Structures are given as structure tokens and as C-alpha cells.
Amino acid sequence: METFTVRDLRERTGELIRGAEAGKLSVVTKHGNPVFVAVPFDDALLESGVRTSLAIKLFDEGTLTLAQAAKFAGLGIEEMIERTGAAGVAVVQQTPDELNDELDVIANHGRRR
């Protein structure tokens, strides 16, 4: 998530718009305090609404956990998982190293290294 100051809006409006078109959230601050969030206007926003769409994007960026995103959106975990998957966002987000560690555990019949 990128941060813009109110002053940046005059000088970097095009950058803010390009980011939104690319699906990126941006926060606009005044004197270091958040004033508003620029949320991309897309099909997900229209289908899910602002809170759910924002929660999914914040989860995808790693800003919120799945539980926090569900609470933010006012949804149960199961529904949040469904909405997140429908938006094309992986619910389980592991790095390749984490995935390899899990596969090692499975290969060793549950014994940790």
C-alpha cells in the first residue's frame, strides 16, 4: 500500500490513478495522519462492497490476517474464505521455503526436523 500526502495529490495524481487502475490501495495523509484510503473501483468492489473489497485487498497485501479481514468485513471466517477465493486471492499464502518445510514434514510422516 502506497502512502500519499495531501500535497502529493497535486504533484502525483497520475501516479495515484495508475496505482488504483492496477488494483493497488493508497492511503492519503495530512500532517502524518491518515485522511482517506483510495480503493480501486473494480468488479470486486461492486460485487462485495467497500468493506469486503478493502478487507480482501488488505489481507492479500499482508496487512491483515484472515481473521482480522473477516472481522473488518463483518463476515464469518468461512464466508471470508469463500469471498477471498472468489476474488482470486489465495487464502493460504506460503513462501516456497515454508511450503518445502511442510512437504518435508509430510514426507517424514509428521516428524519435525
Side-chain angles (χ1 to χ4, degrees):
M1 181 172 358
E2 189 155 1
T3 301
F4 290 82
T5 65
V6 172
R7 176 173 284 163
D8 287 336
L9 291 178
R10 286 188 291 258
E11 300 165 8
R12 299 172 53 203
T13 304
E15 189 178 334
L16 177 67
I17 291 170
R18 283 188 297 279
E21 289 173 333
K24 296 181 180 176
L25 296 173
S26 297
V27 174
V28 178
T29 63
K30 182 177 180 180
H31 304 297
N33 297 313
V35 177
F36 67 89
V37 176
V39 179
F41 193 86
D42 56 14
D43 290 340
L45 179 69
L46 292 173
E47 289 176 21
S48 299
V50 173
R51 288 180 70 180
T52 301
S53 183
L54 183 56
I56 291 169
K57 288 188 181 297
L58 291 171
F59 169 72
D60 191 31
E61 291 182 353
T63 304
L64 297 178
T65 65
L66 184 64
Q68 291 168 332
K71 185 174 181 178
F72 181 87
L75 303 172
I77 293 287
E78 295 82 11
E79 188 172 354
M80 189 67 194
I81 290 170
E82 288 176 17
R83 299 264 185 112
T84 302
V89 174
V91 176
V92 177
Q93 299 180 346
Q94 292 181 306
T95 66
D97 289 339
E98 290 170 335
L99 183 57
N100 283 334
D101 288 346
E102 291 296 318
L103 292 172
D104 286 345
V105 168
I106 292 167
N108 292 316
H109 305 288
R111 294 186 306 256
R112 293 262 176 204
R113 297 191 255 161

